[in-house]
Amino acid sequence: MSASKKKSTLSPKIVGTVHSEGSLRRALQLRAWDVDLLELRVDHFAADPGKLIRAVPMLAVPLIVTVRHPAEGGANGLSLATRKHLIRQFSGLANYLDVELRSVASLEHEIESARAQGLQIIVSDHHFKNTPALAKLEERCERAVEAGATIFKVAAQANSLLDLQILLAFLTIRRASGVSVMGMGPFGKISRLLFARAGSALNYGYLDQPQVPGQWEATVLKQRLQEVSEE
C-alpha cells in the first residue's frame, strides 16, 4: 500500500494520465504540486507491467489504477482474466480503482478487495459518439452508486452547446455526491475547465499526447483552474 494514501475529498482534483512511455517519463519528472493525482493506465503496459510497478515509488502524487475494458478505449484487447490479474497486482499500490460501469458485475470481487484495502472506487462511463440525455446520465449514476462508487465519472462527446448544457446540468444536480464530468471533442476543453471550476471531482489531462480530442495538458489545466478560481 502506498505510504501517501489519503482519503479522497470532493474538492476538484487534476489527474495526469500515464498511458505511454512518454507520459511515464513525464510523470516521473512531476513535482507534488504539478498535478493532484496520476492515473496509471495499466492496460497500455500489459506486456511489461513491471515497468510501472518499479516506477510507483518515484511518483510524487497519489495514484488511480485503471485496466480499461477494450470497448471503452482499453488498449491491447485484454481478456477479463488478464484484467482481473492486473487489478489485483496494482491495487496494493494505488489510492483509487477505476472500473467501468459495464464491468462492475464481472469485477465485483476485485472491487470489494480494493475497497477492503482502503481504495476509493471510481465507476466510469464513456460515450464516444454523443452526450446522453440527462435522464440516462441520472440512471447510470444511480447504478454506479448502487455498485459502491465513491465517484461516478462520465466522459461524453460534446458537439454542441446543448451537450455542454446537459453535462453541466448533471454535474450541478449530482456534484454533492461526488461526480467527475468531462466533455470530449469540439467543446472538450471548454467543458473541462468549466466543470472543474463548477465542482467536478476529478479532471483529467494528458502528459505527453492527448488520448481524445478536447483534452488539456494536465499541468496547464491545473494552472488555468487556479487562475479562474482566484477572486
Side-chain angles (χ1 to χ4, degrees):
M1 189 74 65
S2 172
S4 63
K5 182 168 290 187
K6 299 178 182 177
K7 184 174 178 61
S8 171
T9 67
L10 298 182
S11 59
K13 297 182 185 299
I14 303 302
V15 182
T17 299
V18 179
H19 68 281
S20 65
E21 298 284 347
S23 58
L24 180 57
R25 287 193 296 270
R26 179 78 176 99
L28 289 166
Q29 297 169 353
L30 294 177
R31 301 160 296 181
W33 55 87
D34 287 328
V35 297
D36 301 300
L37 296 163
L38 288 168
E39 180 191 34
L40 302 183
R41 282 292 304 272
V42 179
D43 49 297
H44 283 267
F45 293 84
D48 184 13
K51 185 174 300 183
L52 276 183
I53 292 172
R54 291 188 294 272
V56 164
M58 296 178 281
L59 297 174
V61 295
L63 304 174
I64 300 168
V65 60
T66 302
V67 189
R68 184 64 72 221
H69 191 291
E72 295 199 26
N76 294 310
L78 302 181
S79 68
L80 177 61
T82 299
R83 293 176 65 219
K84 287 183 174 183
H85 173 73
L86 290 170
I87 288 171
R88 291 193 295 267
Q89 192 173 9
F90 278 84
S91 289
L93 306 174
N95 306 77
Y96 299 77
L97 173 64
D98 182 317
V99 174
E100 308 82 20
L101 183 59
R102 72 168 68 221
S103 299
V104 293
S106 58
L107 295 176
E108 181 179 6
H109 177 76
E110 286 70 27
I111 293 170
E112 290 304 318
S113 178
R115 186 181 289 109
Q117 293 178 73
L119 278 71
Q120 306 294 309
I121 306 300
I122 302 164
V123 174
S124 57
D125 195 29
H126 303 89
H127 302 271
F128 296 108
K129 295 182 178 180
N130 54 37
T131 293
L134 180 58
K136 182 174 181 179
L137 292 174
E138 288 266 40
E139 181 268 331
R140 296 181 77 78
C141 184
E142 286 295 333
R143 288 173 52 193
V145 171
E146 290 172 4
T150 308
I151 296 170
F152 175 61
K153 183 185 81 174
V154 58
Q157 180 76 5
N159 293 317
S160 67
L161 287 174
L162 178 58
D163 292 338
L164 201 64
Q165 183 180 5
I166 291 170
L167 292 171
L168 182 59
F170 173 71
L171 172 59
T172 302
I173 293 166
R174 288 287 186 166
R175 64 185 171 189
S177 60
V179 293
S180 170
V181 183
M182 65 203 79
M184 300 177 284
F187 286 84
K189 280 195 169 183
I190 294 171
S191 76
R192 289 170 191 246
L193 186 57
L194 172 63
F195 298 163
R197 182 68 180 89
S200 174
L202 303 175
N203 305 278
Y204 291 68
Y206 66 89
L207 295 177
D208 62 341
Q209 295 292 328
Q211 285 186 284
V212 296
Q215 288 183 313
W216 293 85
E217 195 277 334
T219 63
V220 173
L221 178 57
K222 184 163 185 180
Q223 292 167 4
R224 296 293 177 265
L225 179 58
Q226 289 171 339
E227 290 169 8
V228 299
S229 299
E230 292 175 354
E231 295 184 0

